Every structure is written in C-alpha cells, then in structure tokens.
Amino acid sequence: MWVTAYFAIIVLLALCVGLEFTARRLTPPQSTPTAVANPAFRRFQSIFLRAYLLALWADWLQGPYLYKLYRHYSFLESQIAILYVCGLASCVLFAPFSGWLPQALGRRQTCLLFCVSYSACCLTKLSRDYFVLIVGRILGGLSTSLLATTFEAWYVYRHVEVHDFPKEWIPSTFNKVATWNHGLAVGAGLVANLLAEWLHLGPVAPFLLAVPFLGCCSWVVLTDWGKEEAEGGSEGDKQTLILGAVNGGVARLSAKERFSRSCHDGLRCLLSDRRVLLLGGVQALFESVLYIFVFLWTPVLDPHGPPLGIVFSCLMGASMVGSLLYRLATSTRYRLQPGQVLCLAVLMAFFSFFMLTFSTVPGQPRPHDSFLAFLLLELACGLYFPAVSFLQGRVIPEEKRAGVLSWFRLPLHLLACLGLLALHGEVSGTGGGEGGGGTRHMFGGCAVMMLAALMAVIRLFTLSRNDTDLRLEGCRGEGEME
C-alpha cells in the first residue's frame, strides 16, 4: 500500500496538470475584463481571499489524521463513531444559528468567532479525555457550520451592498476559491503526512499546526477587513442598530424575522416544487453517504500500513480530476449537460460502494481494491458538486436559496448520524471488535442509498426533460456554477 499510495499521487497530480492544460486549450476562460481591470474590486477580492483561504487551509489540515488520532488514544471504533456523531449532531444544531449569528453579532465578528472556536477544537485534541474530545467535536461542528456560511456572507454583502459591484462578478471570486480549495486539500495531506509520519511528530501535529493559521486568519479579519470596513462604510449590522434607535427597535427584530421567514419560505418552496424536493433528496442521500465514507476510509486502509496523509492527498487529487473532467464534459466540444453529469456521478458512487462490499469481506480484505473504490468515489464527488450547484442555482429561486439549502442539510446530517449510530451498534454488538462485518454492511447500505439517489435523479430528468432552465446554454467551457 505504501508504494501504491505514492504511485497514485504522482499519477493523479500529472493527470490534473494534463487536464488543466487541456481544459484551457479547448475552453479558454471567459473572464470579465471589467472586473479584472477594476483595481478596487481586485483589492477587495484579495483581502477576502487571504482570510478565507487561510481558514480553508486550517480546515483541510485536520482531515487526514482525525480517526488515526482517536485510535492512537486507544479508543474503540464504536467510541470513535460516537465522537463523529457528536460532530454531525452539532452541525445539525448549529446550522440554523450559523445563518442568524452574522446578523446578530456582525459578519466580521462571527468570522472571528469561527477562528476562536476552531482553535479551541484543535487544542482539545491534545487531551486523551473522552469528554474533552466530545467537547472538541461539538466545537468542530459549530466551526464547520460557520465556515460554510459566514465568510461568504461577509463577501457577498460587501460586494453588493457596500461596494455596489455587479453581481456578475461574484462567481469570479468563488471560482478562484474552488480552484485554490482543491490545491489546498492536496497540499494539506502532504504537509500532514510530513509532520505525522516523516518527522514522527504523531497524528496530533497537523491539528496543532492549524492553530497558528487560524491565528493568521483572525489577524487578517481584524486588520485588513477592519480597514476595508472603515474605508468602505459601516456594516449593515451597525445600520440596523441606527434604524432600531429611530424606529423604536423594530429593525433590531428584523434579523430574527428575516431568518424565520427564510426558513418558512424555504420549506414552502421545497414542498411546492417537485424538482426542488427531488434535488434535495439527491443531495441528502449523496452527501450523507460522504460523511460515512469520511469515517470509514481510515479504518479500512490503515491496518495495511499506507501513509494516511498521502492517501488523503490522493483522494483530494481524484476529486480535482473529477472537477476538471466536469469542465471538459460541459465544454462546447463535448456538450454534456450538468444533469447528465450528475447522473453519471451518482452511478459512479454506486459502483464504488458496490465494489467496497466485496473488498471489505471480514478475514479477506482487499485494500488495493478498496483504495481504487475510494478514488472512484472522490472522482464522482468532483463531478457531483459543480453539477448539483448548477442545478440548485437554476431550480431554487435566489431569494429562497438560503432557506431551502438549510432544509436540505437537515436530513443530510440526520442520515449520516443514523448510519454511524447503526455502525456503533453493530460494532458494540460484536464486543467492540474491529473484525466484524459492520463496515461491509455499512458500505452495502451506502450502495442502496446511492441507488435511491440514482432513481431520484432519473425522476428529476423525467419531470424536467424539456425544461430549458436546467440546461447549460452553449455549454460554457468553465462549466461555472450559477
């Protein structure tokens, strides 16, 4: 497995470079010259990216060795499953508040809260106490919820409301984030492997390295973002306080009212449009399975001695390959539609889990086949995320999108929690051992969920066969998300 992992990362990185050059040659990027030439926009974009990319880098550093750390502390798989469930449950509990906190505390202050809470989460990994680790998982759930919403909320608000830049320029920033995000994920695996295995600092080292990067992120938010707000005008939260003083506190309540209305409108949209309901079902099934995969890939491969950081980089590299293939598939040369790519991604994920049910037979493991199946799953993820983001942008009205996506995430996390609790029960039922068939049964359940997601995608196709809203006009080369 050691040789396989290093060979795979070399091949995947070479494939990424080749596909990137091919994508640029066949589909020249459709940049917005006005945005590129606008120095105020470029400066504002740079200030945002400095903080956000530091936050993403700190987040990725914690991916490769989380399960390994808990095993290093001699916890059983059933106990580790509960730790993961605590993290997912906290995501469910804090998800509504992650939309409300920026309005209550201020967007910049909520980004600082993210840095503090995630730093505390990392520092809890120094403890071997189970309760302290549970607290760390809860803080991690809060931090993940804030990372998914708060930084983007700050950027979009100031882009549109303060600087009055055209909304059409927003995708150029988030396309840069998506490009950097893949590279950061691959690099995080390599750096984590360097610390934990090459330098023999142990699995806690990547978590400790994340803390200074979170400190740098908070410094950028305090200084650069603070200067930007001072120069660009006060944030909407301050305007709310002023309006509240003028209007007898009515505006101060508007944040809660907007949040409640957003959830209500999102639920109504979800129940009234079958396309939205089907798309939400696909997302809940597909992404809940990914949470289970995040838990299981380490115990499946680690007994066979691979460098986990390199394996993590391989998985992220496969996801990058999938993203590049999406760009090529939706280009003017190949003209595939995002819906077709989504169907292909779900089908690939199904075959991946189908393979895993045979490669994880108790007493007869086939780690190379499992590793190949994991790479296939990550390749499917690289195809899935841009395709589903495009369809969400077309199916869900923009003013209701935040509320609808919040409802999408609820069954997603609940399904993942139920899956991990089922695994915990099965492992506990075998006396806490690691050699039972619980992992194989879980992969079989994931395959069934992928089959259900595939049926939902096919049903969505049937309903929207002639719907031009779900088609990519001219099949843009970038396959950009709208």
Side-chain angles (χ1 to χ4, degrees):
M1 281 300 296
W2 191 90
V3 175
T4 301
Y6 279 97
F7 177 75
I9 189 62
I10 293 171
V11 171
L12 287 167
L13 290 178
L15 190 57
C16 288
V17 173
L19 286 172
E20 178 65 30
F21 280 116
T22 302
R24 291 187 180 187
R25 181 169 55 86
L26 294 180
T27 57
Q30 299 178 345
S31 60
T32 51
T34 307
V36 172
N38 189 307
F41 172 75
R42 292 180 64 183
R43 179 179 175 276
F44 169 63
Q45 185 186 67
S46 175
I47 289 172
F48 167 71
L49 290 177
R50 280 201 294 271
Y52 194 31
L53 294 180
L54 282 168
L56 291 173
W57 171 253
D59 182 50
W60 283 120
L61 280 172
Q62 302 173 57
Y65 286 94
L66 180 60
Y67 188 99
K68 180 74 171 181
L69 178 70
Y70 295 144
R71 289 296 293 152
H72 179 70
Y73 290 160
S74 301
F75 293 113
L76 298 175
E77 184 175 325
S78 57
Q79 295 173 305
I80 299 172
I82 293 298
L83 288 171
Y84 275 74
V85 167
C86 289
L88 291 173
S90 67
C91 282
V92 175
L93 293 175
F94 289 122
F97 295 100
S98 66
W100 174 76
L101 275 175
Q103 300 174 18
L105 299 179
R107 297 170 183 85
R108 186 165 67 97
Q109 289 79 1
T110 310
C111 291
L112 290 172
L113 174 62
F114 158 81
C115 295
V116 172
S117 64
Y118 222 8
S119 297
C121 169
C122 292
L123 292 175
T124 61
K125 302 300 188 293
L126 290 169
S127 173
R128 293 173 177 263
D129 185 87
Y130 194 67
F131 176 76
V132 173
L133 293 174
I134 286 178
V135 172
R137 290 299 293 166
I138 294 172
L139 289 172
L142 169 63
S143 304
T144 301
S145 298
L146 294 178
L147 179 62
T149 56
T150 306
F151 285 83
E152 294 183 11
W154 182 88
Y155 175 81
V156 172
Y157 173 81
R158 298 199 66 79
H159 179 105
V160 176
E161 302 295 336
V162 177
H163 293 286
D164 199 25
F165 294 134
K167 289 184 178 180
E168 292 76 14
W169 294 3
I170 293 177
S172 69
T173 298
F174 291 111
N175 286 337
K176 284 189 175 183
V177 170
T179 301
W180 274 97
N181 197 32
H182 281 115
L184 290 174
V186 174
L190 297 175
V191 171
N193 195 85
L194 168 68
L195 295 173
E197 302 195 28
W198 294 349
L199 298 180
H200 305 288
L201 297 178
V204 75
F207 296 92
L208 298 182
L209 180 63
V211 175
F213 283 103
L214 290 167
C216 292
C217 176
S218 63
W219 178 256
V220 173
V221 171
L222 275 172
T223 57
D224 292 353
W225 286 23
K227 292 177 183 176
E228 205 284 331
E229 289 186 357
E231 294 171 1
S234 59
E235 195 173 350
D237 303 286
K238 296 178 181 178
Q239 295 171 358
T240 302
L241 293 175
I242 296 172
L243 288 171
V246 173
N247 297 324
V250 175
R252 232 182 317 220
L253 300 175
S254 64
K256 296 180 181 178
E257 292 173 354
R258 285 198 302 271
F259 174 70
S260 175
R261 185 174 301 173
S262 172
C263 292
H264 180 263
D265 291 346
L267 182 60
R268 254 196 339 189
C269 178
L270 184 64
L271 297 177
S272 62
D273 190 335
R274 294 185 67 185
R275 299 178 309 167
V276 177
L277 189 62
L278 287 168
L279 193 59
V282 172
Q283 182 175 352
L285 290 166
F286 192 99
E287 296 182 28
S288 62
V289 159
L290 293 185
Y291 280 108
I292 297 172
F293 154 72
V294 166
F295 173 77
L296 289 175
W297 74 266
T298 304
V300 168
L301 297 179
D302 190 43
H304 307 282
L308 293 180
I310 302 300
V311 170
F312 183 84
S313 292
C314 289
L315 297 176
M316 297 301 102
S319 179
M320 186 187 299
V321 169
S323 179
L324 291 168
L325 286 175
Y326 176 85
R327 286 175 55 188
L328 288 174
T330 56
S331 67
T332 53
R333 178 167 181 172
Y334 297 103
R335 299 182 181 278
L336 287 180
Q337 292 297 326
Q340 296 169 320
V341 177
L342 178 62
C343 186
L344 176 62
V346 175
L347 186 62
M348 289 170 61
F350 166 74
F351 278 116
S352 171
F353 286 110
F354 186 73
M355 289 172 59
L356 286 163
T357 59
F358 293 97
S359 64
T360 56
V361 177
Q364 301 175 4
R366 298 203 295 268
H368 292 86
D369 292 350
S370 297
F371 182 48
L372 180 62
F374 289 149
L375 292 178
L376 180 63
L377 178 60
E378 284 292 341
L379 181 66
C381 291
L383 294 169
Y384 164 84
F385 282 107
V388 81
S389 295
F390 174 87
L391 294 174
Q392 286 173 353
R394 293 302 181 90
V395 168
I396 307 170
E398 184 176 355
E399 65 276 7
K400 299 178 182 178
R401 194 169 303 162
V404 171
L405 294 181
S406 295
W407 287 108
F408 279 6
R409 284 189 286 269
L410 183 61
L412 187 164
H413 289 107
L414 289 177
L415 283 171
C417 287
L418 289 174
L420 291 176
L421 286 172
L423 180 63
H424 162 71
E426 187 154 1
V427 173
S428 298
T430 61
E434 309 292 335
T439 297
R440 186 191 184 203
H441 295 160
M442 186 55 60
F443 283 137
C446 290
V448 172
M449 292 171 69
M450 283 296 99
L451 195 58
L454 184 61
M455 294 173 64
V457 172
I458 293 172
R459 180 58 178 161
L460 180 62
F461 273 153
T462 305
L463 285 176
S464 311
R465 188 179 302 133
N466 300 317
D467 193 341
T468 56
D469 287 343
L470 302 186
R471 300 184 67 83
L472 193 60
E473 297 88 348
C475 293
R476 291 190 312 273
E478 291 294 312
E480 291 168 353
M481 297 167 280
E482 295 189 6

